[in-house]
Amino acid sequence: MSNTTLSTSIGMLPILIAPNQILKTRARPVKPTDSDLVRDLIPRMFATMYDAPGIGLAAPQISHSLRLVVIDLMPKDKKQPYSLINPEIVASSEELAAREEGCLSLPGQYAEITRPARVKVRYLDETGAKREIEADGLLSACLQHEIDHLDGVLFVDHLSTLKRNMIMRRLAKEQRAKQDERSR
Ligand code: GNR
Ligand code: NI
């Protein structure tokens, strides 16, 4: 079996790399008629995220402009998977927190991002049940990072134009070098 066939059969999906118009677009809400699609996408999004590896993945990153996110912080191989449909931040703390962020759509790029320290997020789980999470620390940053993706926002959009341009140029350069390696 070819490599491409293997990743397809396991259900993994290619991750879009910035700049890409889908990553800059506000995703549409999931509606009841999307249930078959969402049931198919959730396990494939987890497979893609664990393989990457990453701690979160938003549907626009796999070319589906839908308000759907998966998260698993995976502390010492204890899996705590969350599937979030139509997640909304309903409260944010005044207090801010800074943390180093990365993104599977900006591979190899990292920056310290300041965000509200705590958030309350309302969403539907994979069974369609209404849920709420109150998060701080890494989960809070990850929830905000993923919900940003649904609004067409990347972590670099929280930086100055100068820092954002530096990161985007470095990413383009590294991606060109990778492409050159592949075509050699
Ligand atoms: O794997 C990821 N790590 C991460 C670290 C700090 C804050 C957010 C994240 S999410 C990121 C995976 C990703 O790109 N999700 O969209
Ligand atoms: Ni990301």
Side-chain angles (χ1 to χ4, degrees):
M1 207 186 323
S2 78
N3 229 322
T4 341
T5 316
L6 191 62
S7 35
T8 304
S9 64
I10 297 167
M12 294 192 324
L13 298 156
I15 297 174
L16 294 181
I17 306 300
N20 182 291
Q21 195 48 49
I22 297 176
L23 295 174
K24 293 186 181 179
T25 304
R26 186 181 166 84
R28 71 161 176 86
V30 171
K31 48 189 196 306
T33 55
D34 295 319
S35 63
D36 287 355
L37 174 61
V38 166
R39 239 197 315 277
D40 175 64
L41 283 180
I42 289 174
R44 301 176 75 184
M45 287 174 68
F46 277 114
T48 305
M49 181 188 80
Y50 290 132
D51 178 72
I55 60 170
L57 189 70
Q61 294 181 277
I62 45 108
S63 304
H64 287 268
S65 198
L66 269 184
R67 303 188 78 80
L68 172 63
V69 160
V70 297
I71 291 178
D72 192 344
L73 302 188
M74 294 174 279
K76 314 174 204 120
D77 23 32
K78 258 187 303 182
K79 285 194 180 177
Q80 279 185 314
Y82 290 95
S83 311
L84 302 95
I85 297 167
N86 297 338
E88 276 181 87
I89 296 173
V90 295
S92 313
S93 63
E94 296 270 352
E95 190 194 329
L96 304 178
R99 121 176 354 256
E100 180 102 326
E101 296 195 15
C103 182
L104 297 174
S105 296
L106 293 94
Q109 312 306 316
Y110 302 89
E112 182 153 297
I113 305 297
T114 301
R115 301 181 182 272
R118 295 174 300 282
V119 287
K120 186 196 284 188
V121 173
R122 201 166 283 163
Y123 65 100
L124 301 177
D125 71 13
E126 62 283 359
T127 73
K130 281 191 184 180
R131 297 245 198 184
E132 251 178 40
I133 315 180
E134 281 195 296
D136 62 6
L138 182 59
L139 181 58
S140 171
C142 188
L143 283 162
Q144 293 176 70
H145 175 118
E146 301 311 338
I147 293 169
D148 269 355
H149 275 300
L150 305 183
D151 294 330
V153 173
L154 299 174
F155 79 77
V156 289
D157 296 324
H158 294 278
L159 300 171
S160 67
T161 307
L162 179 69
K163 283 189 185 169
R164 178 168 57 250
N165 287 345
M166 282 175 50
I167 289 177
M168 294 312 289
R169 287 195 192 105
R170 186 163 62 213
L171 174 63
K173 186 178 165 186
E174 289 174 7
Q175 292 298 114
R176 268 198 309 277
K178 255 180 72 181
Q179 188 55 57
D180 291 351
E181 249 173 73
R182 283 195 289 266
S183 64
R184 261 196 293 112

